[in-house]
Amino acid sequence: DVKVTQSSRYLVKRTGEKVFLECVQDMDHENMFWYRQDPGLGLRLIYFSYDVKMKEKGDIPEGYSVSREKKERFSLILESASTNQTSMYLCASGGTGGYGYTFGSGTRLTVV
Amino acid sequence: DQQVKQNSPSLSVQEGRISILNCDYTNSMFDYFLWYKKYPAEGPTFLISISSIKDKNEDGRFTVFLNKSAKHLSLHIVPSQPGDSAVYFCAASAFSTGGGNKLTFGTGTQLKVEL
C-alpha cells in the first residue's frame, strides 16, 4: 500500500510566522500535490509537482510556496501565516489517470 | 470558475436503499472521473473511477455512470450501509499545461445512512 505521511496532525501558529508542512511518500511517485479543504469549498489545489524541483501553481497559490528537493518529499511553506490560512491541509501522491491519488491523513492548521 | 460541481451538500438515505450522488462538470478535456470518500479527521480515500470513453463502471456495491453529452456523472451505492456515511467528493483528471496530471474536486456531498 502507498503510504503518504504528513508530519503533523495538528498545528497552531501565530500570525506572521513562517510555517512548514512536510509530506513524504514511499512509492516513488513523480506527482505530489497540496490541497486545502474548507467547509463548503471542497478540496482546492494549492500547488503540485510532477518531478523533483518542478512545481506548478494550482488554483489558490497566493500566500504559499513549495519545495521538492527529493522525489519522496514535498513541502508546503506559508511565508507569513495569516488567519485566513486556517484550514485542513492535505498532501497526495500518485495521479496516474484513473487510479487517482493517495492522500495523507491531513494537517489541521490553526493560525491565531 | 467551478469546473466540477456537486450541487447537493447533503443526502440522507435509509439503510438498504440506494444512494445516488451526482456531479456535473464543464471541462470536456477531463479524461478520468473519480469518486473519493472522506471521514472526519482523515484524508480522502479513493473509491472508484471511470474513463471518459466509458459510460459505466462497477465495483461491488458501487457503480459510477457517466453521461458525456450532459457532462454529468453519478455514483450509485446499493445497498447503502451505515458505514457509508461520509463526505463523498467527485473529482476529474486532466493534464496540465506544465505536463503534470491533476485532479479537480467538487465541493462534496455529506451522505448519511440511517438505520
Side-chain angles (χ1 to χ4, degrees):
Chain A
D1 271 359
V2 176
K3 221 171 175 182
V4 178
T5 304
Q6 292 183 232
S7 52
S8 306
R9 291 300 301 271
Y10 300 95
L11 272 181
V12 180
K13 296 292 181 180
R14 294 195 182 278
T15 303
E17 272 193 79
K18 190 168 186 174
V19 181
F20 293 85
L21 302 183
E22 307 286 343
C23 177
V24 176
Q25 52 102 354
D26 66 358
M27 280 300 288
D28 205 36
H29 285 149
E30 265 99 29
N31 300 315
M32 294 188 76
F33 308 82
W34 277 104
Y35 288 85
R36 62 179 280 180
Q37 183 196 1
D38 300 289
L41 298 176
L43 275 69
R44 294 180 292 164
L45 181 63
I46 305 170
Y47 265 97
F48 65 108
S49 167
Y50 48 89
D51 202 350
V52 175
K53 296 191 191 292
M54 303 299 287
K55 61 188 179 188
E56 191 167 332
K57 291 180 180 178
D59 302 314
I60 50 162
E62 298 78 20
Y64 303 95
S65 62
V66 289
S67 170
R68 190 152 180 217
E69 297 295 320
K70 293 185 177 181
K71 196 172 186 181
E72 67 270 17
R73 186 179 296 271
F74 191 35
S75 303
L76 180 69
I77 304 154
L78 286 67
E79 298 290 344
S80 177
S82 64
T83 54
N84 63 13
Q85 292 178 309
T86 291
S87 186
M88 167 71 89
Y89 288 88
L90 293 156
C91 174
S93 96
T96 52
Y99 295 97
Y101 305 162
T102 298
F103 280 85
S105 299
T107 297
R108 170 70 64 186
L109 173 68
T110 303
V111 182
V112 297
Chain B
D1 76 33
Q2 190 84 30
Q3 294 188 54
V4 178
K5 298 178 190 177
Q6 293 176 258
N7 292 316
S8 299
S10 64
L11 174 67
S12 191
V13 168
Q14 275 200 310
E15 183 181 11
R17 302 283 187 128
I18 184 171
S19 295
I20 300 176
L21 296 101
N22 294 302
C23 180
D24 297 298
Y25 63 95
T26 57
N27 186 351
S28 54
M29 299 303 292
F30 288 136
D31 57 353
Y32 279 93
F33 301 91
L34 304 92
W35 286 94
Y36 279 80
K37 176 179 177 179
K38 188 180 183 299
Y39 293 116
E42 292 183 15
T45 54
F46 171 70
L47 207 53
I48 190 169
S49 65
I50 187 167
S51 164
S52 60
I53 62 172
K54 301 203 167 175
D55 54 23
K56 179 181 173 182
N57 188 26
E58 200 170 344
D59 183 2
R61 295 186 299 114
F62 303 93
T63 303
V64 57
F65 295 93
L66 175 63
N67 182 335
K68 281 188 75 174
S69 60
K71 291 193 170 76
H72 177 84
L73 65 152
S74 60
L75 174 69
H76 293 210
I77 306 173
V78 182
S80 302
Q81 299 172 354
D84 296 330
S85 297
V87 178
Y88 289 78
F89 289 101
C90 170
S93 170
F95 280 101
S96 70
T97 51
N101 180 273
K102 69 175 192 177
L103 285 184
T104 301
F105 283 82
T107 51
T109 297
Q110 172 75 60
L111 173 66
K112 186 175 179 183
V113 180
E114 296 170 320
L115 298 169

